[in-house]
Amino acid sequence: MERDLPEQHQAQLPLQQAKSASPPVEYSPRDSEGHGTHTLSTAAGGFVRGANIYGRAKGTARGGSPHARVAAYKVCWDLCADANLLAAFDDAIHDGVDVISLSVGALPSEYLFDSIALGSFHAVQRGITVVCSAGNEGPTPGTVSNIAPWLFTVGASTIDREFYSLVTLADNKKMKGVSLSPKSLPAHKPYPLIDGSDAKRPNASAEEAGWCYPATLDPGKVRGKIVVCSRDPSLARVEKGVDVLKAGGAGMILANSDEEGNSLVADPHFLPASMITYKDALRLSSYLKSTKSPTATISPATTVLGVKPAPAMASFSSRGPNLINPEILKPDITAPGVDILAAFTREVGPTMLDVDKRRVGFNVMSGTSMSCPHISGVAGLLKKLHPRWSPAAIRSAIMTTARTRDNTRTPMKDANREKATPFDYGAGHVRPNRAMDPGLVYDITFTDYVHFLCSRGYNASSMAQFIGKRYACPSKTMRAEDLNYPSIAVPNLQKSFTVSRTVRNVGTPGTYNVRIKAPFGIDVSVKPQTLEFAKVEEEKTFHVRLRSRGESVGVGYVFGGLTWTDGTHYVRSPLVVNAFS
């Protein structure tokens, strides 16, 4: 099983086999890569106990609060072996943690053959909230990992801070790129500009040189110029800059392809550099083709706050639907996962390359590995505030109070500025303060999860691997759609379908009324439409009937929402429906 590497390091996997700055496999608790230190320091909160399972470290550390108690369990060296993962779960359970933060993942598989699903099942049985990264295989649909319903699965989105580095062309057109390069070019001095494909060596292809692959750029054509390199998934972004620098280039513009779109990630380049969007890449290409002697400048990296629109989904964040159980919407939530600043190891440089001799105490990284510990920290704080809440109640509080609009008060977008959906963000972007007082929660017991496994058709011996003993499932098993999840997904609607949910009042007594935003072409009715709670901990059950109309059949998944409100609390659940008839 591969670890869930931060997004900026995923493209380096082929390089790491030959060029990793990490020493040969050393079975040491030391963090040799920085991934673990970064996620651990992000998760560290106050007044809670926590555990962090990730790629590279084991030990204890203090977080931002002197009362934070966090422990790290190292499970990955070259690979993340299943035995190591299961042993880490056993250790964390034995140590009595409240939350396990798991920035590790693999492609989705049946729960019986998924070590994370197996290990986390035992943790949840003991009241431990297990938070997992959704994976960095986006934006391809159906790539979300860690999809077991007892896991809290986290996607990655942006925040309203970016590290701008402006590219200015000779015609004074400006392109807003991003960078963390400590190097800069002289202000207001234009440099000759050349596309990598036009600077190829005689024995290199234009395509490879356009990607700025090693030994493809001709120093005679590149020296003293800013080189435009196209982004591709097989070579690390910072490695492209190294090759430009070796060829004598003065700077680099890293241009997104249509696949990356508008998704930008700041990197600590070795030379003045800026990454630009696909839209700007097209403008730049047009400029290069229409200008005899193109020039440009690259401004120093600058931190900018209040960026709009934000949050937006990261292109790399893995997407739904859930391929194992499409009745369970995944991911569950999204959280900050782009350009996240946190602690870092001094064992390697910030780019993890051999040539990088720099050492930093903090680093900016991106990935669902980075968003996962944000939710882990929130879950830990909720556990302190509500110590009797179950893992499902904690997840419900965070999901039902999430937002689906950005800071422009419009629906959240993806990296291409298209409207995002629950397959991108689950219930939405986390709002920690709202989660403290959600009003109502959707709870799930351990027995509910056992019956859910029965709905998968597991026999007595299969069930023994989950609960430690043979278990005979009841003759009438539950439907997966009826698991008391905070979201509602019906992947195979045939005319009409009814699901049931139960909510528990964790606020003050009151009356909640339902609001429905029906998916396109779907009629939605809820009975009852009003829930009256006379006391705390009281539970009420309601039923949601979904009926397809002709225009919804065959169009694929459509999305809506259901909200219970007493005027103060807004308890929102996504509706995800695929009508076949």
Side-chain angles (χ1 to χ4, degrees):
M1 181 186 299
E2 293 288 344
R3 62 192 176 283
D4 185 14
L5 280 177
E7 194 273 341
Q8 70 262 43
H9 293 155
Q10 282 218 337
Q12 292 178 210
L13 281 174
L15 290 172
Q16 286 180 334
Q17 295 172 5
K19 304 184 70 173
S20 173
S22 301
V25 178
E26 175 190 357
Y27 294 100
S28 160
R30 184 179 296 277
D31 182 2
S32 60
E33 194 173 85
H35 180 265
T37 302
H38 199 280
T39 54
L40 181 69
S41 63
T42 302
F47 306 97
V48 296
R49 297 167 294 169
N52 190 36
I53 298 177
Y54 48 74
R56 294 295 172 187
K58 178 179 173 71
T60 58
R62 291 284 181 183
S65 164
H67 299 281
R69 296 177 60 190
V70 290
Y73 302 83
K74 183 171 180 178
V75 299
C76 298
W77 281 266
D78 281 353
L79 297 174
C80 303
D82 289 347
N84 293 344
L85 279 164
L86 293 171
F89 273 115
D90 285 346
D91 285 349
I93 292 169
H94 178 268
D95 292 343
V97 305
D98 294 310
V99 179
I100 292 177
S101 185
L102 191 68
S103 288
V104 178
L107 293 176
S109 61
E110 182 58 49
Y111 310 127
L112 191 61
F113 308 109
D114 183 342
S115 60
I116 292 176
L118 285 165
S120 60
F121 193 82
H122 292 274
V124 171
Q125 182 181 9
R126 290 159 178 81
I128 300 170
T129 301
V130 183
V131 185
C132 295
S133 52
N136 299 326
E137 303 299 328
T140 304
T143 51
V144 62
S145 61
N146 294 321
I147 41 75
W150 48 89
L151 294 172
F152 198 172
T153 310
V154 188
S157 39
T158 64
I159 56 178
D160 64 349
R161 181 203 66 212
E162 288 187 354
F163 303 103
Y164 283 169
S165 176
L166 292 178
V167 174
T168 305
L169 306 180
D171 58 5
N172 206 36
K173 289 183 178 177
K174 299 182 185 298
M175 300 176 181
K176 194 182 296 181
V178 299
S179 180
L180 281 171
S181 173
K183 306 286 187 179
S184 61
L185 296 173
H188 310 300
K189 178 184 177 181
Y191 279 76
L193 186 65
I194 188 170
D195 191 283
S197 61
D198 296 324
K200 72 179 189 70
R201 290 176 182 263
N203 62 341
S205 70
E207 184 178 49
E208 290 176 332
W211 288 329
C212 297
Y213 277 12
T216 61
L217 298 175
D218 187 337
K221 299 177 182 178
V222 167
R223 190 170 292 111
K225 298 178 182 179
I226 296 175
V227 181
V228 180
C229 300
S230 296
R231 185 174 168 186
D232 77 297
S234 59
L235 187 67
R237 300 185 297 270
V238 289
E239 183 79 356
K240 296 174 185 285
V242 171
D243 296 315
V244 171
L245 192 61
K246 287 179 179 179
M252 176 182 70
I253 299 174
L254 189 57
N256 270 2
S257 68
D258 58 347
E259 183 176 346
E260 289 88 21
N262 295 311
S263 181
L264 299 177
V265 181
D267 294 307
H269 293 283
F270 294 92
L271 77 173
S274 183
M275 177 191 287
I276 61 174
T277 66
Y278 177 59
K279 180 179 179 180
D280 282 338
L282 294 176
R283 292 172 54 203
L284 180 59
S285 177
S286 177
Y287 170 72
L288 285 168
K289 293 174 181 176
S290 63
T291 306
K292 185 175 181 180
S293 300
T295 62
T297 62
I298 300 175
S299 72
T302 304
T303 302
V304 178
L305 304 177
V307 173
K308 294 183 179 182
M313 291 307 302
S315 65
F316 58 78
S317 185
S318 291
R319 264 56 171 188
N322 178 340
L323 295 186
I324 303 300
N325 263 119
E327 306 88 351
I328 305 297
L329 176 64
K330 291 289 181 173
D332 293 310
I333 197 79
T334 188
V338 178
D339 292 342
I340 304 303
L341 176 66
F344 196 70
T345 183
R346 293 185 180 274
E347 287 296 296
V348 294
T351 64
M352 294 168 49
L353 297 177
D354 279 342
V355 296
D356 195 351
K357 305 304 179 185
R358 298 171 294 181
R359 295 296 182 267
V360 295
F362 295 85
N363 198 9
V364 171
M365 303 177 77
S366 298
T368 55
S369 285
M370 283 65 249
S371 58
C372 169
H374 280 83
I375 297 299
S376 302
V378 175
L381 293 172
L382 288 180
K383 185 66 174 179
K384 175 62 181 179
L385 187 63
H386 304 286
R388 296 181 60 187
W389 279 11
S390 69
I394 289 173
R395 177 177 58 194
S396 174
I398 295 173
M399 288 178 64
T400 59
T401 56
R403 63 173 174 170
T404 59
R405 292 182 176 268
D406 58 30
N407 55 5
T408 68
R409 297 186 178 181
T410 60
M412 280 179 61
K413 309 297 192 300
D414 61 18
N416 291 320
R417 300 293 186 260
E418 299 292 333
K419 183 179 178 181
T421 76
F423 283 159
D424 304 320
Y425 53 61
H429 190 87
V430 60
R431 292 194 289 184
N433 290 345
R434 296 288 183 95
M436 293 189 297
D437 180 23
L440 307 175
V441 295
Y442 295 82
D443 208 354
I444 304 175
T445 67
F446 180 72
T447 300
D448 292 333
Y449 288 129
V450 171
H451 290 167
F452 171 83
L453 290 174
C454 290
S455 75
R456 294 290 300 166
Y458 286 3
N459 58 29
S461 59
S462 297
M463 295 294 286
Q465 296 194 45
F466 282 94
I467 62 177
K469 60 182 179 181
R470 294 176 66 86
Y471 179 84
C473 290
S475 56
K476 184 178 180 180
T477 59
M478 69 177 292
R479 301 177 308 176
E481 292 91 345
D482 284 329
L483 184 69
N484 203 39
Y485 220 71
S487 55
I488 296 174
V490 179
N492 187 14
L493 177 60
Q494 308 280 351
K495 300 292 186 184
S496 177
F497 194 86
T498 300
V499 299
S500 299
R501 290 291 188 271
T502 299
V503 288
R504 186 172 73 243
N505 180 28
V506 294
T508 56
T511 300
Y512 284 79
N513 296 302
V514 70
R515 295 181 181 179
I516 299 169
K517 182 179 180 182
F520 170 78
I522 305 294
D523 291 326
V524 182
S525 59
V526 178
K527 291 185 178 181
Q529 294 186 339
T530 299
L531 301 176
E532 295 185 3
F533 295 93
K535 58 184 178 180
V536 178
E537 299 298 314
E538 186 177 2
E539 293 187 340
K540 297 284 185 178
T541 297
F542 63 93
H543 308 280
V544 182
R545 186 181 182 188
L546 306 165
R547 288 180 295 181
S548 62
R549 301 196 303 267
E551 62 266 35
S552 68
V553 176
V555 302
Y557 280 96
V558 289
F559 308 96
L562 181 155
T563 303
W564 290 102
T565 180
D566 63 353
T568 301
H569 305 93
Y570 295 85
V571 188
R572 182 184 176 278
S573 295
L575 293 176
V576 178
V577 183
N578 189 9
F580 280 85
S581 65

